[in-house]
Amino acid sequence: MTGPATDVPAPPADDDDVPRFLADLGLPGLVDLHVHFLPERMLHKVWAYFDEAQLHYGTPWPVHYRTSEPERVATLGELGVQTFAPLTYPHKPGMARWLTEWVTDFAAATPGAVRTATLFPEPDVADYLGAAVEAGARVVKVHVQVGGFDPRDPLLRPAWGLLADAGVPAVVHCGNGPIPGPHTGLDVFGEVLTEHPALRVVLAHAGMPDYAGALDLLGRFEHVRLDTTMVGTPFSERIAPLPADWPARLVPVADRVVFGSDFPNIPYPYAEQVRAVARWAAADRRLGAAFLRSVLHDAPVQLIDF
Ligand SMILES: [Zn+2]
């Protein structure tokens, strides 16, 4: 018997209200596995790209948290984010090593930031990725759309293998949203998983817009999870709406959903993402407050605390 949950606290009215919502759930803080920090000059280029989003994506994308790096770190703290994964990603060869080195330094100097790495199919990928894992990287970002590479590229085989062996999760943007890349598609990434079934993968944006395809991969591969990044917000509902029965579809995989936001590059306040997840939890009593505690804290902690 299903029906709405009755144990979900009132969703946060705005960003200032997020800590109250977390406290009502009995959580010490929020764990966000999908946040972006980049070298300042590169981040400004990314923001300039979003300024032309009408051209690229067919919709305006006004970046909401366009502040200095220290201010962005402080904003996360004010939101109640206790731990976050700062993710970087290259768009061409020769960048992933120095991005990984940059973000390693950033994480070491920033309370709450976990160590991350990124990769690209290139001859030295196993070398810098292995060094990062050795140094304590807890999350690896893989951007198949922006990178424009084929995740099945033989150059990546040793990288997938070492991540699978180390148990380090990869947050992979392999869905066709907001626009397809030459090698995006959950079917394409499914071939990587067939070859490396032990790989811990977090499907970024829940595979947006192919949510059913993402759930299919979760059904086929036990180490695959999905993140909530941008999913179910009013902005994304306009361009890639969720199926009407989304909360019910999450029930069998409720412990494999982790919170992600895409802060700071989102065209709306952070609270909208928290509200979206709260709505799913409230819609089905098999989810409820327990689901929220898992998504916002327990499941991401379990993934990075190994
Ligand atoms: Zn992202």
Side-chain angles (χ1 to χ4, degrees), residues 208-211 231-233 235-244 246:
M208 182 186 297
D210 188 7
Y211 307 113
V231 182
T233 59
F235 178 85
S236 299
E237 284 297 280
R238 282 194 296 276
I239 54 174
L242 286 166
W246 178 246

Side-chain angles (χ1 to χ4, degrees), residues 34-36 87 89 141 143 173 204-205 229-230 261-262 265:
H34 195 139
V35 163
H36 292 294
L87 305 179
Y89 48 86
K141 171 67 172 184
H143 210 312
H173 184 135
H205 312 284
T229 307
M230 298 193 75
S261 68
D262 245 348
N265 302 332

